[in-house]
Amino acid sequence: DTGVSQDPRHKITKRGQNVTFRCDPISEHNRLYWYRQTLGQGPEFLTYFQNEAQLEKSRLLSDRFSAERPKGSFSTLEIQRTEQGDSAMYLCASSLQGWETQYFGPGTRLLVL
Amino acid sequence: GENVEQHPSTLSVQEGDSAVIKCTYSDSASNYFPWYKQELGKRPQLIIDIRSNVGEKKDQRIAVTLNKTAKHFSLHITETQPEDSAVYFCAASNGGADGLTFGKGTHLIIQP
């Protein structure tokens, strides 16, 4: 499968725990995006990388959220001290610089109890 | 920042009829407008997109129109089929680092 992949697909955690999600973009894509989608809503932009540089971070993200893309390939999104309001689908997308088309991964569904 | 409004939230049409979903955007700098289809529990999948230098684009049963002056764009699906049932999202972007701004989605139901 040469599409965007995400791991894990599902995560259940207790409030206050830390969680980390991984995204592997399409291999030649140098742009990577993270979105959050809650039930009945469209995806909301969280952050964006071009290669390894994080170029934008939405106001949606509190300081409990951090993302990395250390070698310009895969990316991780970490949520510290999870809260019930963090329960959502976390989607990753990638694109090729110069082409706006974003391709989405299957998402990681997070449930915070 | 950009704001995208999408209507209707639910659309039910008879199989074979046409469906139209409309979106408006607020940022005149937006120049890229994709449409995604999302089935329950699945990833959003791009079905068609349009750039601001084009007024209309068609791909088989799907077409998108863009009116830059009025800041609105629409998705048209003709000869609807049961497999068209899904949630459809419009989005807008200025091609920069802001990512896509999505509408709230339209639940399209195709009645047999």
Side-chain angles (χ1 to χ4, degrees):
Chain A
D1 186 357
T2 57
V4 179
S5 61
Q6 293 186 244
D7 184 71
R9 296 291 306 279
H10 304 274
K11 179 70 177 179
I12 301 174
T13 191
K14 293 182 179 179
R15 190 175 51 188
Q17 298 294 305
N18 299 343
V19 294
T20 300
F21 310 140
R22 175 177 170 131
C23 170
D24 286 88
I26 294 171
S27 59
E28 63 268 26
H29 286 186
N30 61 339
R31 289 182 169 177
L32 187 149
Y33 305 79
W34 285 98
Y35 292 84
R36 181 175 68 186
Q37 186 177 25
T38 54
L39 202 61
Q41 301 293 318
E44 294 176 297
F45 171 71
L46 297 180
T47 192
Y48 156 63
F49 291 86
Q50 181 161 303
N51 299 311
E52 65 275 10
Q54 187 173 13
L55 298 186
E56 187 64 32
K57 185 175 177 179
S58 167
R59 289 183 294 275
L60 288 173
L61 281 184
S62 73
D63 57 5
R64 297 185 297 106
F65 289 72
S66 62
E68 294 182 340
R69 194 182 183 199
K71 296 183 180 179
S73 56
F74 72 92
S75 175
T76 58
L77 177 69
E78 181 182 18
I79 309 174
Q80 296 182 327
R81 306 182 302 281
T82 53
E83 302 172 356
Q84 287 184 324
D86 297 330
S87 295
M89 174 77 85
Y90 290 84
L91 291 162
C92 174
S94 70
S95 71
L96 188 60
Q97 184 175 356
W99 297 92
E100 301 96 334
T101 304
Q102 294 184 27
Y103 297 91
F104 281 83
T108 295
R109 185 170 294 282
L110 173 66
L111 178 61
V112 182
L113 300 176
Chain B
E2 175 68 280
N3 182 50
V4 176
E5 300 282 342
Q6 182 172 347
H7 299 280
S9 57
T10 303
L11 178 60
S12 180
V13 301
Q14 292 291 322
E15 182 179 350
D17 288 349
S18 296
V20 180
I21 302 170
K22 298 181 179 181
C23 290
T24 60
Y25 62 99
S26 61
D27 187 354
S28 57
S30 289
N31 57 14
Y32 174 64
F33 307 93
W35 287 87
Y36 285 86
K37 174 184 180 181
Q38 189 175 32
E39 298 177 34
L40 190 62
K42 301 287 184 65
R43 75 184 75 193
Q45 291 201 309
L46 180 75
I47 55 171
I48 196 167
D49 57 11
I50 192 167
R51 290 166 178 81
S52 59
N53 59 347
V54 176
E56 184 174 358
K57 183 177 178 180
K58 189 174 181 180
D59 182 4
Q60 298 183 17
R61 297 186 298 111
I62 296 173
V64 57
T65 58
L66 171 66
N67 183 326
K68 284 191 65 180
T69 303
K71 295 201 195 73
H72 67 70
F73 56 112
S74 300
L75 177 71
H76 305 253
I77 305 175
T78 59
E79 301 171 12
T80 52
Q81 301 169 2
E83 54 264 36
D84 295 330
S85 294
V87 179
Y88 290 80
F89 293 98
C90 63
S93 166
N94 62 12
D98 295 339
L100 293 169
T101 301
F102 283 83
K104 290 186 182 298
T106 296
H107 186 193
L108 178 62
I109 301 166
I110 307 301
Q111 302 278 6

